[in-house]
Amino acid sequence: MRPPRLVPGARVAVVAPSGPVPEDRLEAGLDLLRGWDLDPVVAPHVLDRHGEFGYLAGADADRARDLERAWCDPSVSAVFCARGGYGAARMVELLDWDAMRAAGPKVFLGFSDITTLHEAFARRLGLVTLHGPMVAGADFLKNARAQEQLRLTLFEPEAVQVIASPGRALVGGRAHGVTLGGCLSLLSADLGVPEARVSARGGLLFLEDTGEETYRIDRFLTQLLRAGWLEGVAGVALGSWEECDPYDAVRAVLRDRLGGLGVPIVEEFGFGHCDGALTVPFGISGELDADAGTLRLDAPALAAARG
């Protein structure tokens, strides 16, 4: 299902499913959203800190409650994540997915650790979600290109139905399929989890990560290959590898592990942990052109606004 696009005055809830959120960056992000004529509301526990584990934005139950209540609030048109980090996997099973399904589709936005939730929304709600910049993300706050592409996706998705990147072909060709993916390490961590996606068959797989040594990238990809998760994938788009080893080393392992799939692969597509990161809709069909570095969606990412 494609959620309705946003309109001026729409209320959007900001939640923190993962790591702690810097208050100054949150306030800057809220100001940016208000400048788009949105009405952002901050969930009660967004600025919490876990008493024992400082890498979590509060208790698991509180983070889950914030997301669930925001989603089920009929006045809220979208739920935006404040940041990633780590923690979504600890609270995803605490959500009342039946209640969230009954609440109907709305826009969900985030990336990095939020990959776990993109997969959950796809499997449990059958919903198109947006892999893109987060409200308190430093790169988002300082990059006008990332801001504008996200704004168009939210309000005028026809204007970005063709997503053009600076990418180039690692393996040339075109492929058609349904978009999915996110952070490589999180996709690997989801293997074997109940209700997780059993394979990427028929998909256009978007992969990126940050802060990983090359041997760990090799391990994540090898695990996906050994599990059969990559069998039948239609095409692959590779994003940023910020704070990883030099890209030549990363590129070599990406080619080694993925080149044998025999499908089009585009590298440096410009999404993920990088300046000016593109917003990529997940759960929608389209054509990936590795040679041109483009993704052409079969339909706008978001449906017409509710009347």
Short mmCIF file of all heavy atoms in Angstrom, two decimals, residues 15-22 43-66 83-84 86-91 94 113:
data_model
loop_
_atom_site.label_atom_id
_atom_site.label_comp_id
_atom_site.label_asym_id
_atom_site.label_seq_id
_atom_site.Cartn_x
_atom_site.Cartn_y
_atom_site.Cartn_z
N VAL A 15 9.54 10.23 16.53
CA VAL A 15 9.79 9.18 17.52
C VAL A 15 11.27 8.81 17.52
O VAL A 15 12.00 9.14 16.58
CB VAL A 15 8.93 7.94 17.24
CG1 VAL A 15 7.44 8.28 17.30
CG2 VAL A 15 9.27 7.32 15.88
N ALA A 16 11.71 8.11 18.57
CA ALA A 16 13.11 7.68 18.69
C ALA A 16 13.14 6.19 19.01
O ALA A 16 13.24 5.81 20.17
CB ALA A 16 13.82 8.48 19.77
N PRO A 17 13.05 5.33 18.00
CA PRO A 17 13.00 3.89 18.24
C PRO A 17 14.35 3.27 18.61
O PRO A 17 14.41 2.11 19.01
CB PRO A 17 12.53 3.31 16.90
CG PRO A 17 12.10 4.48 16.08
CD PRO A 17 12.90 5.64 16.57
N SER A 18 15.43 4.04 18.47
CA SER A 18 16.77 3.45 18.57
C SER A 18 17.63 4.19 19.58
O SER A 18 17.44 4.08 20.78
CB SER A 18 17.42 3.41 17.18
OG SER A 18 16.62 2.67 16.27
N GLY A 19 18.60 4.99 19.09
CA GLY A 19 19.56 5.63 19.96
C GLY A 19 19.12 6.98 20.48
O GLY A 19 18.15 7.56 20.02
N PRO A 20 19.86 7.49 21.50
CA PRO A 20 19.53 8.78 22.11
C PRO A 20 19.66 9.93 21.12
O PRO A 20 20.49 9.91 20.21
CB PRO A 20 20.52 8.91 23.26
CG PRO A 20 21.64 7.98 22.91
CD PRO A 20 21.05 6.87 22.12
N VAL A 21 18.85 10.95 21.32
CA VAL A 21 18.71 12.04 20.36
C VAL A 21 19.29 13.34 20.94
O VAL A 21 18.88 13.76 22.02
CB VAL A 21 17.22 12.26 20.02
CG1 VAL A 21 17.06 13.40 19.03
CG2 VAL A 21 16.62 10.98 19.46
N PRO A 22 20.23 13.98 20.25
CA PRO A 22 20.73 15.28 20.70
C PRO A 22 19.63 16.34 20.60
O PRO A 22 19.04 16.54 19.54
CB PRO A 22 21.88 15.59 19.73
CG PRO A 22 22.20 14.28 19.07
CD PRO A 22 20.92 13.51 19.04
N ALA A 43 7.12 12.80 20.33
CA ALA A 43 6.61 11.77 21.23
C ALA A 43 7.22 11.94 22.62
O ALA A 43 8.32 12.48 22.78
CB ALA A 43 6.92 10.39 20.66
N PRO A 44 6.52 11.49 23.66
CA PRO A 44 6.93 11.79 25.04
C PRO A 44 8.33 11.33 25.42
O PRO A 44 8.98 11.97 26.26
CB PRO A 44 5.87 11.05 25.87
CG PRO A 44 4.68 10.96 24.99
CD PRO A 44 5.21 10.82 23.61
N HIS A 45 8.83 10.24 24.84
CA HIS A 45 10.09 9.67 25.31
C HIS A 45 11.26 9.89 24.36
O HIS A 45 12.31 9.25 24.51
CB HIS A 45 9.91 8.17 25.56
CG HIS A 45 8.89 7.86 26.61
ND1 HIS A 45 9.13 8.01 27.95
CD2 HIS A 45 7.59 7.45 26.51
CE1 HIS A 45 8.05 7.69 28.64
NE2 HIS A 45 7.11 7.34 27.80
N VAL A 46 11.12 10.81 23.42
CA VAL A 46 12.16 11.01 22.40
C VAL A 46 13.50 11.42 23.02
O VAL A 46 14.57 11.01 22.56
CB VAL A 46 11.70 12.03 21.35
CG1 VAL A 46 12.87 12.52 20.51
CG2 VAL A 46 10.64 11.41 20.44
N LEU A 47 13.48 12.22 24.06
CA LEU A 47 14.72 12.70 24.66
C LEU A 47 15.15 11.88 25.88
O LEU A 47 16.07 12.27 26.61
CB LEU A 47 14.57 14.18 25.05
CG LEU A 47 14.43 15.14 23.86
CD1 LEU A 47 14.17 16.56 24.35
CD2 LEU A 47 15.68 15.10 22.97
N ASP A 48 14.52 10.74 26.08
CA ASP A 48 14.91 9.87 27.19
C ASP A 48 16.30 9.27 26.98
O ASP A 48 16.80 9.18 25.84
CB ASP A 48 13.91 8.72 27.35
CG ASP A 48 12.62 9.14 28.02
OD1 ASP A 48 12.46 10.36 28.27
OD2 ASP A 48 11.78 8.27 28.27
N ARG A 49 16.91 8.85 28.06
CA ARG A 49 18.14 8.07 28.05
C ARG A 49 17.92 6.83 28.91
O ARG A 49 17.39 6.93 30.01
CB ARG A 49 19.33 8.87 28.61
CG ARG A 49 19.69 10.12 27.82
CD ARG A 49 20.27 9.77 26.45
NE ARG A 49 20.82 10.94 25.77
CZ ARG A 49 20.11 11.78 25.04
NH1 ARG A 49 18.80 11.60 24.93
NH2 ARG A 49 20.68 12.81 24.44
N HIS A 50 18.33 5.69 28.40
CA HIS A 50 18.21 4.45 29.17
C HIS A 50 19.10 4.53 30.40
O HIS A 50 20.24 4.99 30.33
CB HIS A 50 18.60 3.26 28.30
CG HIS A 50 18.21 1.94 28.85
ND1 HIS A 50 18.88 1.33 29.88
CD2 HIS A 50 17.20 1.09 28.51
CE1 HIS A 50 18.32 0.17 30.16
NE2 HIS A 50 17.29 -0.01 29.34
N GLY A 51 18.58 4.09 31.54
CA GLY A 51 19.32 4.20 32.78
C GLY A 51 20.58 3.38 32.84
O GLY A 51 21.53 3.73 33.53
N GLU A 52 20.63 2.26 32.12
CA GLU A 52 21.78 1.37 32.17
C GLU A 52 22.57 1.33 30.88
O GLU A 52 23.81 1.27 30.89
CB GLU A 52 21.32 -0.05 32.52
CG GLU A 52 22.44 -1.05 32.73
CD GLU A 52 21.94 -2.40 33.20
OE1 GLU A 52 20.70 -2.60 33.27
OE2 GLU A 52 22.79 -3.27 33.49
N PHE A 53 21.87 1.38 29.74
CA PHE A 53 22.51 1.27 28.43
C PHE A 53 22.42 2.61 27.71
O PHE A 53 21.38 2.95 27.14
CB PHE A 53 21.87 0.15 27.60
CG PHE A 53 21.85 -1.17 28.31
CD1 PHE A 53 20.65 -1.84 28.55
CD2 PHE A 53 23.02 -1.76 28.75
CE1 PHE A 53 20.62 -3.04 29.21
CE2 PHE A 53 23.01 -2.98 29.41
CZ PHE A 53 21.81 -3.63 29.65
N GLY A 54 23.51 3.34 27.74
CA GLY A 54 23.50 4.69 27.21
C GLY A 54 23.31 4.80 25.72
O GLY A 54 23.09 5.90 25.19
N TYR A 55 23.37 3.67 25.01
CA TYR A 55 23.18 3.70 23.56
C TYR A 55 21.70 3.61 23.18
O TYR A 55 21.38 3.59 21.98
CB TYR A 55 23.97 2.57 22.90
CG TYR A 55 23.80 1.20 23.53
CD1 TYR A 55 22.69 0.41 23.27
CD2 TYR A 55 24.77 0.69 24.39
CE1 TYR A 55 22.54 -0.83 23.85
CE2 TYR A 55 24.63 -0.56 24.98
CZ TYR A 55 23.51 -1.32 24.71
OH TYR A 55 23.36 -2.55 25.28
N LEU A 56 20.80 3.56 24.16
CA LEU A 56 19.36 3.47 23.88
C LEU A 56 18.64 4.76 24.29
O LEU A 56 18.97 5.36 25.32
CB LEU A 56 18.74 2.30 24.63
CG LEU A 56 19.24 0.90 24.28
CD1 LEU A 56 18.63 -0.13 25.22
CD2 LEU A 56 18.91 0.56 22.83
N ALA A 57 17.65 5.14 23.48
CA ALA A 57 16.82 6.31 23.79
C ALA A 57 15.68 5.87 24.72
O ALA A 57 14.53 5.80 24.30
CB ALA A 57 16.28 6.93 22.51
N GLY A 58 16.01 5.55 25.95
CA GLY A 58 14.99 5.15 26.90
C GLY A 58 14.70 3.66 26.88
O GLY A 58 15.33 2.88 26.15
N ALA A 59 13.72 3.27 27.69
CA ALA A 59 13.35 1.87 27.84
C ALA A 59 12.70 1.34 26.57
O ALA A 59 12.02 2.07 25.84
CB ALA A 59 12.40 1.71 29.01
N ASP A 60 12.87 0.04 26.31
CA ASP A 60 12.29 -0.58 25.12
C ASP A 60 10.79 -0.36 25.05
O ASP A 60 10.24 0.00 24.00
CB ASP A 60 12.57 -2.09 25.12
CG ASP A 60 14.06 -2.42 25.05
OD1 ASP A 60 14.86 -1.55 24.66
OD2 ASP A 60 14.41 -3.57 25.37
N ALA A 61 10.09 -0.58 26.16
CA ALA A 61 8.63 -0.45 26.17
C ALA A 61 8.20 0.97 25.88
O ALA A 61 7.19 1.19 25.19
CB ALA A 61 8.08 -0.92 27.52
N ASP A 62 8.95 1.96 26.37
CA ASP A 62 8.59 3.35 26.13
C ASP A 62 8.81 3.73 24.67
O ASP A 62 7.98 4.44 24.07
CB ASP A 62 9.41 4.28 27.03
CG ASP A 62 9.01 4.18 28.49
OD1 ASP A 62 7.87 3.76 28.78
OD2 ASP A 62 9.84 4.53 29.36
N ARG A 63 9.89 3.26 24.08
CA ARG A 63 10.15 3.57 22.67
C ARG A 63 9.09 2.92 21.79
O ARG A 63 8.60 3.53 20.82
CB ARG A 63 11.55 3.09 22.26
CG ARG A 63 12.66 3.72 23.09
CD ARG A 63 14.05 3.58 22.48
NE ARG A 63 14.34 2.28 21.91
CZ ARG A 63 14.71 1.20 22.60
NH1 ARG A 63 14.81 1.26 23.91
NH2 ARG A 63 15.00 0.07 21.98
N ALA A 64 8.70 1.70 22.12
CA ALA A 64 7.65 1.03 21.36
C ALA A 64 6.31 1.74 21.53
O ALA A 64 5.56 1.91 20.57
CB ALA A 64 7.54 -0.43 21.82
N ARG A 65 6.02 2.15 22.76
CA ARG A 65 4.74 2.82 23.02
C ARG A 65 4.64 4.12 22.23
O ARG A 65 3.59 4.46 21.69
CB ARG A 65 4.59 3.07 24.51
CG ARG A 65 3.20 3.57 24.93
CD ARG A 65 3.09 3.73 26.43
NE ARG A 65 3.40 2.48 27.11
CZ ARG A 65 4.46 2.30 27.89
NH1 ARG A 65 5.33 3.29 28.07
NH2 ARG A 65 4.66 1.15 28.49
N ASP A 66 5.74 4.87 22.18
CA ASP A 66 5.73 6.13 21.43
C ASP A 66 5.39 5.89 19.96
O ASP A 66 4.57 6.60 19.37
CB ASP A 66 7.11 6.80 21.51
CG ASP A 66 7.29 7.64 22.76
OD1 ASP A 66 6.35 7.73 23.58
OD2 ASP A 66 8.39 8.22 22.92
N ARG A 83 16.46 9.62 14.81
CA ARG A 83 17.80 9.16 14.45
C ARG A 83 17.83 7.64 14.50
O ARG A 83 16.86 6.99 14.88
CB ARG A 83 18.86 9.74 15.39
CG ARG A 83 18.73 9.30 16.83
CD ARG A 83 20.06 9.36 17.57
NE ARG A 83 21.04 8.44 17.02
CZ ARG A 83 22.19 8.15 17.61
NH1 ARG A 83 22.50 8.70 18.76
NH2 ARG A 83 23.02 7.28 17.05
N GLY A 84 18.98 7.08 14.09
CA GLY A 84 19.17 5.64 14.14
C GLY A 84 19.99 5.25 15.36
O GLY A 84 19.60 5.54 16.48
N TYR A 86 21.15 2.29 17.54
CA TYR A 86 20.83 0.89 17.80
C TYR A 86 19.64 0.84 18.76
O TYR A 86 19.53 1.67 19.66
CB TYR A 86 22.00 0.14 18.41
CG TYR A 86 21.60 -1.23 18.93
CD1 TYR A 86 21.34 -2.27 18.03
CD2 TYR A 86 21.39 -1.46 20.28
CE1 TYR A 86 20.91 -3.51 18.48
CE2 TYR A 86 20.97 -2.71 20.74
CZ TYR A 86 20.72 -3.73 19.84
OH TYR A 86 20.29 -4.94 20.27
N GLY A 87 18.79 -0.16 18.58
CA GLY A 87 17.71 -0.38 19.53
C GLY A 87 16.39 -0.81 18.94
O GLY A 87 15.55 -1.37 19.65
N ALA A 88 16.18 -0.59 17.63
CA ALA A 88 14.87 -0.93 17.04
C ALA A 88 14.56 -2.41 17.18
O ALA A 88 13.41 -2.79 17.42
CB ALA A 88 14.85 -0.51 15.57
N ALA A 89 15.57 -3.26 17.05
CA ALA A 89 15.34 -4.70 17.14
C ALA A 89 14.86 -5.12 18.53
O ALA A 89 14.18 -6.13 18.67
CB ALA A 89 16.62 -5.46 16.79
N ARG A 90 15.17 -4.33 19.54
CA ARG A 90 14.77 -4.67 20.90
C ARG A 90 13.31 -4.36 21.18
O ARG A 90 12.74 -4.88 22.15
CB ARG A 90 15.64 -3.90 21.91
CG ARG A 90 17.09 -4.32 21.97
CD ARG A 90 17.87 -3.42 22.92
NE ARG A 90 17.26 -3.37 24.24
CZ ARG A 90 17.85 -3.75 25.37
NH1 ARG A 90 19.09 -4.24 25.33
NH2 ARG A 90 17.24 -3.64 26.53
N MET A 91 12.71 -3.50 20.35
CA MET A 91 11.33 -3.09 20.64
C MET A 91 10.32 -3.47 19.57
O MET A 91 9.12 -3.33 19.77
CB MET A 91 11.26 -1.57 20.90
CG MET A 91 11.94 -0.69 19.86
SD MET A 91 11.08 -0.51 18.29
CE MET A 91 9.82 0.65 18.74
N LEU A 94 7.46 -5.60 20.55
CA LEU A 94 6.58 -5.04 21.57
C LEU A 94 5.45 -4.22 20.97
O LEU A 94 4.54 -3.79 21.70
CB LEU A 94 7.39 -4.16 22.54
CG LEU A 94 8.56 -4.85 23.25
CD1 LEU A 94 9.28 -3.85 24.15
CD2 LEU A 94 8.08 -6.05 24.05
N ASP A 113 19.62 2.09 11.54
CA ASP A 113 19.02 1.07 12.40
C ASP A 113 17.53 0.90 12.13
O ASP A 113 16.95 -0.15 12.44
CB ASP A 113 19.23 1.45 13.87
CG ASP A 113 18.85 0.33 14.82
OD1 ASP A 113 19.42 -0.77 14.71
OD2 ASP A 113 17.97 0.55 15.68
#
